[in-house]
Amino acid sequence: MASIGIFDSGVGGLSVWREIAFLLPDVDLIYFADQGYCPYGPRTLPDIRQRVEKVARFLLAQEIELLVVACNTASAAALSHLRGLFDLPIVGMEPALKPAVEKTNSGKVAVMATPATFQGEPFGRLMARFAHGVQVFVQPCPGLVEQVEQGDLDGPVTQRLLHRYLDGLPAQGVDELVLGCTHYPFLRPAIEAVVGAGVQVIDPAPAVARQARRLWERLETKPLTSSVPQRRFYTTGPAERLRQQLWQLLGPKAAHQANVQTASLHE
Ligand code: DGL
């Protein structure tokens, strides 16, 4: 049965998974959480690229027809590398700078992402393309991915980090805030509480899911889907932990349908 492969360093890509599952409810989905290697953000770009290639090879061995890199960091480090290697359609992520620039009234926008996402060449290209006549505040947010992985969506440590990274933005006139990491949508209520109603938060996950649907519908050998769509999840960490995280982040129904297994990547 043909399927869509979706991956991230951990549970962040579930913010994209849930949008894809909503738009393509009958399609088999295989999610890969590289939790044994999470977080990617503080690692070097060549390290991330090497690791991401292994994850992609694992998913390709499951006979996926479409690959979604549901991770900004992995996309920044390896998207063009993957497209050069593999002959299937690949959807990647990038911080949603374009809509932020289109929407801003104040001319000041901010982007939250991991340090590696900002270091990657794609972010430089994005800035050169879209950041004209606006001021872009670049905010690396080390530590937030770990908080989401621990299930701490609004506890004291997460709150402290969010205040450290975001407190200054409203006073500087920022009115659009881009979530440039797929873990951050799970912090959205806490982020909105910190920045206040004058700052619009932009999550690119729905747009990425629409792009995945477009590419899926365009596949030549329009693959058959199962009558009961498969919801497979692999992790390089403990399966039981991912099961609990699915419960917390996707809710009981999705967690119930999930088939969760531990995977190891070949060295
Ligand atoms: N969800 C990943 C992203 O979108 C997090 C990367 C990490 O593991 O640091 O960037």
Side-chain angles (χ1 to χ4, degrees):
M1 232 23 116
S3 51
I4 300 179
I6 304 166
F7 78 87
D8 179 44
S9 61
V11 292
L14 297 174
S15 64
V16 178
W17 181 97
R18 65 184 173 190
E19 300 293 337
I20 294 176
F22 177 72
L23 291 184
L24 295 169
D26 302 326
V27 177
D28 291 345
L29 302 180
I30 305 179
Y31 186 88
F32 192 101
D34 194 11
Q35 293 178 298
Y37 210 70
C38 184
Y40 284 174
R43 298 179 190 274
T44 67
L45 295 173
D47 254 15
I48 300 167
R49 193 172 305 131
Q50 219 176 38
R51 182 71 181 181
V52 160
E53 184 183 325
K54 285 184 191 155
V55 174
R57 287 191 190 282
F58 178 94
L59 284 169
L60 262 87
Q62 319 294 310
E63 300 190 350
I64 57 166
E65 299 275 330
L66 173 68
L67 178 63
V68 180
V69 184
C71 175
N72 291 75
T73 308
S75 298
L79 191 58
S80 54
H81 177 66
L82 296 180
R83 286 190 170 134
L85 279 179
F86 305 119
D87 192 23
L88 85 169
I90 303 178
V91 180
M93 310 266 326
E94 62 181 23
L97 195 56
K98 183 174 179 242
V101 168
E102 282 166 3
K103 284 183 190 159
T104 180
N105 291 318
S106 67
K108 292 179 181 179
V109 308
V111 181
M112 302 167 70
T114 69
T117 296
F118 289 125
Q119 282 155 23
E121 211 188 292
F123 188 72
R125 277 203 303 269
L126 206 61
M127 287 286 284
R129 221 170 135 202
F130 297 115
H132 298 293
V134 297
Q135 195 175 348
V136 180
F137 294 77
V138 164
Q139 183 58 61
C141 300
L144 286 183
V145 166
E146 290 91 325
Q147 291 312 111
V148 175
E149 289 292 323
Q150 284 163 27
D152 177 4
L153 306 184
D154 60 2
V157 178
T158 299
Q159 289 288 342
R160 208 165 33 246
L161 287 170
L162 289 177
H163 280 288
R164 185 189 305 163
Y165 297 142
L166 306 175
D167 268 351
L169 297 179
Q172 279 165 306
V174 167
D175 65 353
E176 298 290 336
L177 175 61
V178 176
L179 305 184
C181 166
T182 54
H183 280 75
Y184 302 164
F186 293 113
L187 300 174
R188 187 171 185 151
I191 290 171
E192 285 176 338
V194 170
V195 295
V199 180
Q200 299 305 309
V201 171
I202 302 179
D203 170 13
V208 170
R210 285 195 297 277
Q211 172 66 358
R213 181 174 61 182
R214 267 192 294 276
L215 294 185
W216 177 260
E217 285 169 351
R218 233 183 267 162
L219 284 175
E220 269 174 33
T221 49
K222 196 63 170 302
L224 291 170
T225 52
S226 10
S227 48
V228 180
Q230 285 193 49
R231 297 287 178 252
R232 250 187 292 163
F233 294 82
Y234 291 99
T235 176
T236 49
E240 187 46 40
R241 180 163 165 250
L242 180 58
R243 254 181 229 118
Q244 286 164 11
Q245 290 169 304
L246 294 178
W247 191 275
Q248 182 195 18
L249 300 174
L250 297 179
K253 187 170 169 234
H256 211 68
Q257 292 167 340
N259 168 2
V260 186
Q261 297 165 49
T262 299
S264 53
L265 295 177
H266 302 297
E267 287 312 312

